[in-house]
Amino acid sequence: MSLFGKDKSTKPEKPENTVEKANPGDVKKAIEELSNSLGKERVLSNIEERICYSFDGTKQKALPDVVVKPETTDHVSVVAKIANKFAIPIYARGAGTGLTGGAVPIQGGIVLDIMKMNRILEICPQDLTATVEPAVITKHLQNEVAKDHLFYPPDPSSADSSTLGGNVAECAGGITGLKYGVTRNYILALEVVLADGTVMNVGRKTLKSVTGYDLTRLFVGSEGTLGIFTKITVRLIPQPQTILTVLAYYNNVDDALHTADMVIDQNIFPRTLELMDETSITAVKNYGNLKIPDGTKALLIIDVDGHEAAVKEELSVVEEACRKNNAIELVRANTQEERDSLWAVRRSISPALFKIAPLKINEDICVPRSKIKTILDKVKTSLEGSSILMASFGHIGDGNIHLNYMHHEDQKEEVHRLVTQIFKDVVDLGGTISGEHGIGTTKKEFIRTELSPGEFKIMTDLKRFFDPKNILNPGKMFPAEAL
Ligand SMILES: Cc1cc2nc3c(=O)[nH]c(=O)nc-3n(C[C@H](O)[C@H](O)[C@H](O)COP(=O)(O)OP(=O)(O)OC[C@H]3O[C@@H](n4cnc5c(N)ncnc54)[C@H](O)[C@@H]3O)c2cc1C
């Protein structure tokens, strides 16, 4: 019996896609071939081992038939060749922190645990590039390049644990998006293993390249559905000399939003501009040493960075904007330790929210900046009369808001209705249903709300071209009938 007991989600009763679950006989033969080619120690098929690879940052679970732990590009290529021969799904997996079910093996098959491919291969300060294997942890790369006074800006809140491969696959964003952009803006070149095991290099190590189509960009954000990244070359920029941080408390969200607009109107692009609403603040107030003033209903965490003299001036403009917009209190982080402690609180929101309700649907909509207030008002109106709790927080600098519907089992249908409507509203406002977490399994039923029929057709045609047997992360991104 499954260690998950009777949880039906352990193995879907029916495959979710047109590719049938692999034939058990073929899976057995494939496992034998994998063990013979890669060595038994790299192929895990015990139930206890497989369970460890059955979930990601969502609560979805599905058991793989086998877990393979490659150490080289050749190993990955061998796995793809064997999977292709037997038409068995391959689910590439980094740290498993994804929030849309991307690494969950919903059709069984192979989980490709990439975590042993974790070397920084080269940091080249003169070229302003670094080349890494896919399992390098984001923060580790940031720390290593900082030794050469360089900066890799994409900074998801999961940076301490997520991998560069996972970041590229999801085009991870994070708190520095407004000023520095997202993962896509820093990927110069990739080594990719295709579905049939072919190893291909796309992009160049140069800071510019316009030869042919931009295949690198096509792979960024492809969620493991077009190829498996085995080497990643990123662009680096100089490390800002100084970072100053201020925390501003407000008694309503609108004042915080007006502050953000006023700061940007004055041509200041903060490194971060993060909003937390009352529910998020309540969830984290016991983390760190925050002394939250009475009446607080929203807060902003704002970092400014750059040359010391400029940053001091920018911070005073920012603080003035906070005051003009009725901030109840401003707190400056004067030391790196104080700054770290503030950000630790911000980074703890996601897990802390589970204290409020057992279930959480975390949407990561993104709207044009001018529409942030409109969408937050729509969310508020949609929840009138409902007992579902909303925790909204996120990167208001770039319009990317995390809407967390905190609910109980019997409210699932209501949440689904609310999310469906909000996604329509977001798209009507010119926004996107996912700013950074990807589509995976959790949003695939909504993908056509946003994509035009033409876009959808080209994307599914591309998927079929790159992966004719639909073995790379099947069941993700597109609804079953589309492939
Ligand atoms: C507390 C918390 C905070 C977070 N904050 C943010 C945030 O601020 N911004 C943000 O964007 N995300 C955030 N995330 C989501 C998540 O961390 C990112 O999506 C991250 O990029 C996933 O990396 P991973 O290594 O965990 O990938 P996994 O979860 O293992 O995989 C994610 C996807 O990438 C694919 N994949 C992994 N490795 C490869 C590879 N080598 N080749 C091809 N495909 C691959 C997988 O198949 C899967 O589809 C957060 C998650 C948590 C739990």
Side-chain angles (χ1 to χ4, degrees):
M1 184 175 123
S2 159
L3 290 188
F4 288 127
K6 289 185 177 154
D7 184 351
K8 284 190 181 158
S9 61
T10 305
K11 268 192 175 185
E13 285 172 349
K14 272 195 283 173
E16 289 204 8
N17 213 319
T18 47
V19 166
E20 292 297 316
K21 250 178 111 68
N23 173 318
D26 286 345
V27 171
K28 203 164 165 247
K29 284 186 217 150
I31 294 176
E32 262 170 41
E33 281 201 25
L34 287 165
S35 299
N36 291 340
S37 308
L38 301 176
K40 283 197 171 70
E41 68 285 6
R42 296 194 181 91
V43 180
L44 315 179
S45 52
N46 287 335
I47 179 80
E48 293 82 358
E49 293 162 331
R50 288 186 286 142
I51 283 172
C52 299
Y53 294 88
S54 62
F55 52 86
D56 69 354
T58 60
K59 288 198 166 183
Q60 291 177 70
K61 292 177 200 146
L63 208 52
D65 292 298
V66 62
V67 177
V68 183
K69 296 166 88 70
E71 289 173 41
T72 63
T73 301
D74 279 352
H75 288 169
V76 176
S77 172
V78 165
V79 175
K81 280 177 184 153
I82 295 171
N84 189 46
K85 177 171 159 191
F86 294 103
I88 293 173
I90 307 179
Y91 293 92
R93 181 187 173 93
T97 67
L99 295 175
T100 53
V104 181
I106 61 169
Q107 291 182 17
I110 301 168
V111 163
L112 191 72
D113 170 20
I114 222 85
M115 293 306 279
K116 286 200 165 164
M117 299 178 69
N118 61 1
R119 290 173 306 154
I120 294 181
L121 300 172
E122 178 189 63
I123 295 172
C124 193
Q126 196 175 3
D127 291 343
L128 296 171
T129 62
T131 298
V132 301
E133 290 185 327
V136 169
I137 302 296
T138 319
K139 181 62 79 190
H140 179 52
L141 175 66
Q142 289 169 337
N143 290 343
E144 288 304 303
V145 302
K147 292 176 185 165
D148 287 306
H149 308 288
L150 292 169
F151 182 33
Y152 175 70
D155 198 14
S157 299
S158 52
D160 283 333
S161 42
S162 68
T163 65
L164 262 297
N167 292 173
V168 175
E170 300 288 8
C171 187
I175 56 181
T176 54
L178 168 70
K179 182 164 182 176
Y180 292 109
V182 297
T183 302
R184 173 177 293 126
N185 306 109
Y186 294 87
I187 304 305
L188 294 176
L190 294 169
E191 179 184 83
V192 188
V193 174
L194 301 179
D196 64 357
T198 305
V199 180
M200 188 170 80
N201 284 286
V202 295
R204 300 290 171 270
K205 286 189 181 177
T206 52
L207 299 183
K208 288 176 169 178
S209 165
V210 292
T211 309
Y213 297 129
D214 192 344
L215 295 181
T216 315
R217 276 215 167 198
L218 177 61
F219 281 108
V220 178
S222 61
E223 303 190 17
T225 65
L226 297 183
I228 299 152
F229 316 131
T230 42
K231 285 193 189 108
I232 300 166
T233 298
V234 302
R235 178 169 78 93
L236 303 170
I237 61 173
Q239 181 75 258
Q241 203 182 63
T242 310
I243 308 175
L244 296 178
T245 302
V246 65
L247 176 64
Y249 295 101
Y250 297 87
N251 58 22
N252 63 73
V253 168
D254 285 358
D255 283 341
L257 296 180
H258 291 143
T259 304
D261 285 343
M262 190 180 276
V263 167
I264 292 171
D265 275 354
Q266 296 181 75
N267 287 336
I268 292 176
F269 266 34
R271 174 189 175 103
T272 65
L273 190 43
E274 289 288 298
L275 172 76
M276 283 167 63
D277 75 351
E278 190 180 6
T279 315
S280 318
I281 296 168
T282 309
V284 297
K285 78 175 168 206
N286 297 327
Y287 286 66
N289 303 319
L290 286 190
K291 293 192 185 65
I292 297 167
D294 289 345
T296 297
K297 294 215 167 13
L299 67 76
L300 285 180
I301 309 181
I302 309 172
D303 279 352
V304 282
D305 68 354
H307 190 275
E308 192 176 353
V311 167
K312 280 189 178 153
E313 208 177 305
E314 287 190 353
L315 192 71
S316 45
V317 176
V318 166
E319 288 180 336
E320 188 55 23
C322 297
R323 285 190 205 96
K324 280 190 178 151
N325 287 290
N326 315 315
I328 314 173
E329 197 176 311
L330 296 182
V331 180
R332 260 199 203 193
N334 290 314
T335 61
Q336 183 58 37
E337 207 183 352
E338 286 176 5
R339 199 176 161 260
D340 289 347
S341 140
L342 271 186
W343 279 105
V345 172
R346 162 62 185 85
R347 288 181 196 274
S348 67
I349 300 179
S350 264
L353 283 175
F354 282 112
K355 288 190 299 190
I356 295 178
L359 300 176
K360 171 164 83 90
I361 295 286
N362 172 4
E363 300 303 351
D364 72 312
I365 56 156
C366 189
V367 291
R369 291 208 62 261
S370 57
K371 305 289 190 252
I372 297 174
K373 180 170 160 39
T374 314
I375 198 66
L376 287 178
D377 285 347
K378 280 184 186 289
V379 170
K380 199 168 161 190
T381 310
S382 71
L383 288 164
E384 276 164 12
S386 167
S387 60
I388 290 165
L389 252 189
M390 168 59 60
S392 55
F393 63 90
H395 324 306
I396 56 158
D398 55 27
N400 185 196
I401 313 283
H402 297 299
L403 299 177
N404 292 270
Y405 292 84
M406 309 305 306
H407 63 289
H408 293 263
E409 193 65 35
D410 59 351
Q411 293 172 312
K412 277 182 168 173
E413 271 181 33
E414 190 186 349
V415 171
H416 187 266
R417 228 178 17 254
L418 290 165
V419 167
T420 306
Q421 183 55 48
I422 274 307
F423 280 172
K424 285 194 183 119
D425 294 337
V426 163
V427 171
D428 287 345
L429 290 169
T432 175
I433 62 172
S434 179
E436 56 183 21
H437 291 166
I439 300 299
T441 53
T442 59
K443 284 195 269 276
K444 65 181 178 181
E445 70 171 291
F446 300 109
I447 192 168
R448 277 195 260 220
T449 306
E450 180 174 335
L451 298 181
S452 68
E455 282 178 295
F456 188 81
K457 180 173 184 322
I458 290 179
M459 287 190 199
T460 45
D461 283 353
L462 279 168
K463 167 66 177 168
R464 276 188 284 267
F465 173 79
F466 277 97
D467 183 16
K469 293 188 185 170
N470 195 11
I471 58 169
L472 293 179
N473 216 354
K476 311 295 169 70
M477 200 185 280
F478 303 109
E481 69 281 4
L483 293 174

